[in-house]
Amino acid sequence: MKIYDISQEVFSCQVYPDDPAPEKKIIRSMEKGEVYNLTAFSMCAHNGTHIDVPRHFIRDGKTVDEKSLEAFIGMAYVAEHSGVVTYNDATEIIEKAKKHNAEAAKRILIKGDVEVSLEAAKVFAFSDILLLGNEPQTVGPQNAPMAVHLALLSADVILLEGIRLAEVSEGIYFLNAAPLNLAGADGSPCRAVLIDNE
């Protein structure tokens, strides 16, 4: 069994433009003669490796605590791509994933510097997937993310953004990308891992 950590380190992670960056504060320090070490931190729910739920772009959409963990934990398919993911690319990814493993086809992770087009988002949305993951900090165009997010989140597809797949080959893995249990939140950081049982 091999475990791949596909998460960014929090304090040095990538941050979407204009989002607040993570901050660390040392509350207690043994180096200063105190009895124990204690760290506090603050961060945006969408810093680094994180998930988006419907509430991120839909006023009354489901929040993190309202989503079943089934979407975040289970078999997943890693597909490699570069550039814009088109309608045909998305169709091919879904078909390839289903041929390998029908359960893994419910959670698609795209390796590479990609941008999911609106047409591709609609393919994924109508394919009954539970989760779509990608390496950039946002799933769609950075300068106009709303349409792609709405297409996917409206179909109750969870987004796993900011993952790191450089060491991972195309294929089937077990994914655990469970978010923090943040009541009422529109997203959450997570420590995403892939497990290769072969």
Side-chain angles (χ1 to χ4, degrees):
M1 180 177 74
K2 184 169 177 59
I3 300 174
Y4 296 92
D5 184 352
I6 60 169
S7 306
Q8 299 178 53
E9 190 281 320
V10 171
F11 297 115
S12 62
C13 73
Q14 288 192 334
V15 177
Y16 191 80
D18 298 325
D19 283 357
E23 293 183 6
K24 177 169 61 174
K25 182 178 180 182
I26 304 301
I27 306 295
R28 298 277 184 268
S29 172
M30 293 175 77
E31 288 185 3
K32 294 182 179 179
E34 296 178 290
V35 177
Y36 55 90
N37 293 311
L38 183 65
T39 304
F41 66 94
S42 64
M43 67 184 296
C44 172
H46 300 269
N47 289 158
T49 303
H50 67 279
I51 57 96
D52 291 355
V53 293
R55 182 65 63 93
H56 189 35
F57 275 88
I58 301 169
R59 184 186 302 272
D60 297 316
K62 289 182 181 176
T63 57
V64 172
D65 56 307
E66 293 173 328
K67 287 298 300 173
S68 164
L69 288 176
E70 178 190 5
F72 310 103
I73 302 170
M75 300 305 294
Y77 181 74
V78 174
E80 190 165 356
H81 189 78
S82 183
V84 175
V85 180
T86 65
Y87 176 97
N88 289 338
D89 296 329
T91 302
E92 184 178 323
I93 288 169
I94 291 291
E95 288 176 353
K96 199 171 179 182
K98 285 182 177 177
K99 283 180 185 176
H100 278 82
N101 184 298
E103 182 62 25
K106 294 180 182 178
R107 297 169 197 84
I108 303 290
L109 308 182
I110 306 176
K111 175 181 178 176
D113 185 12
V114 299
E115 176 184 298
V116 176
S117 68
L118 180 56
E119 293 73 25
K122 290 176 180 177
V123 171
F124 290 125
F126 287 111
S127 298
D128 294 324
I129 67 171
L130 300 173
L131 178 144
L132 178 66
N134 63 289
E135 297 203 69
Q137 287 305 112
T138 186
V139 70
Q142 186 167 299
N143 60 349
M146 186 172 182
V148 170
H149 276 79
L150 277 176
L152 291 160
L153 296 173
S154 295
D156 213 23
V157 176
I158 296 297
L159 304 179
L160 174 59
E161 299 172 323
I163 53 179
R164 295 293 176 258
L165 297 170
E167 306 301 317
V168 181
S169 301
E170 279 198 6
I172 307 297
Y173 300 86
F174 186 86
L175 170 71
N176 185 340
L180 299 176
N181 192 2
L182 303 177
D186 48 80
S188 170
C190 62
R191 182 73 178 266
V193 298
L194 288 174
I195 299 172
D196 185 352
N197 283 317
E198 293 186 7

